[in-house]
Amino acid sequence: DGKIRFLCMNLQKRTCVISLSDLHKFHKLDQSILFTGHREILNAYYRHLFHMVKFVVYSKVFNRPEKFKFLKILRAQMTDEEQTLLFFNWRSGYGKEWENEENKFFTEYKMIHNIELKDFQYSKEGKIYNSENDLYKEFPNLAEENRDKMFEFVERNKKRNG
């Protein structure tokens, strides 16, 4: 039917249906389409999360290994679905500060480490991301040597196949 169904799109696990062509235009989507019925809650949630991450990353109190440790603990509190929604929030442009020239909260600090390709369900029209390489295209500043470490499913597949 040319639609993609996301089971992770809202807090009650109901299905949100969006056309594949609309998903390829994230920057033009109204955030209310992606976060149907929960925008008020999710906006506050991701705003607070962003400021916690920013505080840790730019803190002069913590050294680099401590920053990674604290952010890993914070990320562990997030479900895979929350991390997937965070990715969509960033990709839609509303959470653009998560990953840009100044902030590398995804590529360096792995705040979306636990998203999976299977979380991007698809219809007969096609997949949004066919492989991790398609996901990497979203992060042009990601160094080649860091690609295998960005997403947990890639690390897991490498161990399994390697």
Side-chain angles (χ1 to χ4, degrees):
D1 60 1
K3 303 286 182 183
I4 295 183
R5 301 182 191 289
F6 287 93
L7 297 178
C8 63
M9 279 300 171
N10 68 41
L11 301 176
Q12 281 90 24
K13 304 280 185 188
R14 291 183 304 221
T15 301
C16 178
V17 181
I18 302 170
S19 74
L20 184 62
S21 58
D22 283 344
L23 279 171
H24 285 295
K25 302 174 194 166
F26 284 117
H27 63 284
K28 295 180 181 176
L29 285 177
D30 179 352
Q31 189 182 22
S32 63
I33 295 170
L34 293 173
F35 305 107
T36 306
H38 301 286
R39 195 169 79 198
E40 302 81 25
I41 297 167
L42 291 172
N43 282 350
Y45 174 74
Y46 287 124
R47 189 171 37 255
H48 289 293
L49 184 65
F50 174 80
H51 286 289
M52 285 188 282
V53 171
K54 187 175 178 179
F55 172 78
V56 171
V57 168
Y58 291 108
S59 172
K60 304 287 185 211
V61 176
F62 309 121
N63 61 34
R64 189 166 171 81
E66 289 173 324
K67 291 175 184 183
F68 280 100
K69 181 178 97 177
F70 292 133
L71 292 177
K72 187 175 182 178
I73 292 168
L74 180 61
R75 188 183 69 233
Q77 305 306 307
M78 298 170 64
T79 66
D80 294 355
E81 291 82 8
E82 289 169 326
Q83 290 180 48
T84 302
L85 282 172
L86 177 57
F87 170 80
F88 284 121
N89 179 264
W90 166 73
R91 191 61 184 90
S92 70
Y94 287 91
K96 62 185 175 208
E97 296 299 314
W98 280 95
E99 184 72 23
N100 57 30
E101 291 299 319
E102 182 182 339
N103 300 324
K104 307 289 183 220
F105 300 157
F106 293 162
T107 54
E108 189 172 339
Y109 292 96
K110 301 182 185 180
M111 291 308 297
I112 56 170
H113 186 62
N114 300 98
I115 66 173
E116 298 268 352
L117 281 177
K118 68 177 178 56
D119 291 332
F120 303 103
Q121 295 185 10
Y122 61 94
S123 69
K124 294 175 188 172
E125 188 179 337
K127 296 180 181 181
I128 303 170
Y129 302 107
N130 291 305
S131 69
E132 64 265 16
N133 288 328
D134 289 342
L135 269 174
Y136 294 141
K137 290 175 187 173
E138 300 288 353
F139 305 98
N141 296 324
L142 179 63
E144 186 73 33
E145 64 271 11
N146 294 330
R147 286 185 168 202
D148 289 352
K149 300 172 196 148
M150 184 163 174
F151 299 113
E152 184 179 51
F153 76 91
V154 175
E155 290 178 296
R156 203 172 40 249
N157 290 344
K158 295 260 187 223
K159 287 178 187 174
R160 205 177 301 143
N161 298 329

